Amino acid sequence: RSSDLVPPSPWPFCEFRRSFETMPRFSIFALAALPFTLTVADHTEELFKEFAKAFNKTYSSVEERAAKLAVFAENLLHIEHLKQVEEGSASYSYLTPFADMSPTEFSQRLGFRASDWTPSTAPTLNAAALPDSFDWREKGAVNEVKNQAQCGSCWAFATVANIEGAAFVATKKLVSLSEQELVDCDKATGDQGCSGGLPSNAFKDMIQNKIGLESESAYPYQAQDGQCKAASSKEVAFIGGWQAISTDEDQIAAALMQYGPLAIGINAGPMQFYSGGISKPWKLFCNPQKLDHGVAIVGFGEESGTKYWTIRNSWGPSWGEKGYYRIIRGKGACGVNTMVATATNVQLKSAAELVV
């Protein structure tokens, strides 16, 4: 039956999913995937077992496992579609942590409220002599990759990664700061904890209400909404302002070098099954106006003639390139250049007071 050949799209974003599902069912992608579709059923169980072993997946009942297996089978077809339309060197695999997740489940790993963004004037920086590559990880400004888990707190992780990096630029000290404090306490400017937020909202709240961030160890991450337990006596990092960055990607590179890692929004369309390489997705599959995930740019480079951004994600080190994502630079891919911001005038408590 034709309906067996093209399962419903497992895209994790409602706006894009609606547009994708209006495409003809016998699309060029479905026809191209036909040989794969006809054979995948023979191997799905074997691949599912390999996936479950790789990520220590267990299921509470036979029924839950069967449901997850069905989602996994649909995702295998989607992965094949991604491989066929990928124009860069990116690879997509079922051996990624979210290969058994439906769109609804996966959407919990997002939470970027792009509609809250208010454009503002960005300064023009000197971008005339940019190096071929630059990476804040090599300079000690980036902590180990963290994991937001099932909470839609990507915005808090992007915010904290930016403040941690900007603090390093200012003080040459790297501290690990609390995302959970933002999830629980940042409510005055529109952020909604695990239901989503925006880095610029968090910056505004910290500035307007003179709020600092506690250390990760003092206010550890719980991956769920909670009551605000912030204590001013434990705050260790403070910001004096924030700045929107130009949409010009050379300007973004110059800003990265000047301010430190930058908080950005991105359309996470190709990211669920990403396993490495430089992503260069079709705009059709990654609308730059549909941002739904907050991450941090930490570097840039060039490989085999392709310029790319290095992005720190918040899905743990078992995803992507040890927790990182590379995407083509200079093309506005997936909206990577449209909502870029940084905290400014970041200060830390003195070394004698600083306990992290």
Side-chain angles (χ1 to χ4, degrees):
R1 294 180 301 167
S2 62
S3 60
D4 293 329
L5 301 181
V6 189
S9 168
W11 291 93
F13 321 108
C14 58
E15 292 294 333
F16 179 79
R17 184 174 182 177
R18 283 196 291 270
S19 64
F20 182 81
E21 288 177 347
T22 60
M23 296 173 65
R25 295 185 68 83
F26 285 104
S27 67
I28 186 172
F29 310 118
L31 293 175
L34 186 57
F36 180 86
T37 306
L38 295 174
T39 61
V40 69
D42 298 334
H43 303 289
T44 300
E45 177 65 30
E46 177 183 340
L47 298 179
F48 188 62
K49 287 180 179 178
E50 182 184 5
F51 157 77
K53 181 178 180 180
F55 296 100
N56 297 313
K57 296 278 186 172
T58 58
Y59 304 104
S60 61
S61 66
V62 173
E63 291 76 16
E64 183 190 13
R65 187 185 188 280
K68 288 290 189 179
L69 177 60
V71 171
F72 181 81
E74 291 184 354
N75 287 343
L76 288 177
L77 298 182
H78 180 44
I79 290 167
E80 190 64 17
H81 292 163
L82 286 172
K83 290 178 179 178
Q84 290 162 5
V85 302
E86 171 61 43
E87 295 183 326
S89 64
S91 57
Y92 303 93
S93 173
Y94 61 92
L95 292 177
T96 54
F98 312 122
D100 65 343
M101 288 190 181
S102 68
T104 300
E105 290 176 289
F106 182 67
S107 67
Q108 295 174 0
R109 268 71 184 170
L110 309 177
F112 188 84
R113 297 175 64 86
S115 60
D116 288 356
W117 174 260
T118 302
S120 58
T121 303
T124 300
L125 306 177
N126 183 0
L130 292 173
D132 292 335
S133 64
F134 186 88
D135 196 326
W136 277 113
R137 293 175 297 179
E138 299 171 355
K139 302 178 184 300
V142 184
N143 279 305
E144 295 296 317
V145 171
K146 302 179 184 182
N147 193 342
Q148 70 186 79
Q150 73 279 357
C151 172
S153 55
C154 60
W155 61 275
F157 283 80
T159 302
V160 166
N162 167 249
I163 296 174
E164 289 172 345
F168 178 87
V169 173
T171 68
K172 297 299 182 280
K173 297 183 179 69
L174 180 63
V175 296
S176 184
L177 300 172
S178 174
E179 293 84 9
Q180 189 66 43
E181 182 181 356
L182 290 178
V183 170
D184 292 348
C185 307
D186 172 25
K187 307 294 185 181
T189 52
D191 292 332
Q192 298 182 16
C194 288
S195 296
L198 193 67
S200 58
N201 285 348
F203 298 148
K204 292 172 186 176
D205 192 15
M206 291 179 67
I207 296 164
Q208 292 171 11
N209 297 295
K210 297 181 172 59
I211 297 170
L213 290 181
E214 296 184 27
S215 69
E216 182 83 48
S217 59
Y219 203 140
Y221 188 62
Q222 303 296 323
Q224 61 185 1
D225 291 315
Q227 294 294 318
C228 182
K229 304 178 183 68
S232 59
S233 62
K234 296 181 180 179
E235 294 169 348
V236 297
F238 307 85
I239 71 174
W242 75 280
Q243 180 64 60
I245 306 301
S246 168
T247 58
D248 179 275
E249 293 190 54
D250 284 344
Q251 285 290 304
I252 294 172
L256 175 77
M257 296 178 66
Q258 177 171 321
Y259 297 113
L262 302 172
I264 72 165
I266 194 170
N267 182 329
M271 294 175 67
Q272 182 175 359
F273 309 109
Y274 170 82
S275 61
I278 302 171
S279 178
K280 186 181 178 182
W282 285 10
K283 182 180 289 189
L284 173 65
F285 287 90
C286 203
N287 188 334
Q289 297 180 351
K290 300 294 184 182
L291 309 187
D292 50 24
H293 189 43
V295 291
I297 293 177
V298 301
F300 59 85
E302 185 173 340
E303 182 178 280
S304 302
T306 300
K307 295 181 178 181
Y308 63 84
W309 293 113
T310 300
I311 290 174
R312 180 180 185 260
N313 199 4
S314 51
W315 296 340
S318 66
W319 174 88
E321 295 183 329
K322 297 182 178 179
Y324 287 85
Y325 180 50
R326 287 187 294 160
I327 189 169
I328 189 168
R329 174 165 56 103
K331 303 293 184 181
C334 300
V336 68
N337 62 321
T338 56
M339 294 187 187
V340 184
T342 183
T344 58
N345 301 318
V346 179
Q347 297 181 347
L348 297 178
K349 280 189 174 180
S350 67
E353 300 174 287
L354 193 60
V355 179
V356 295

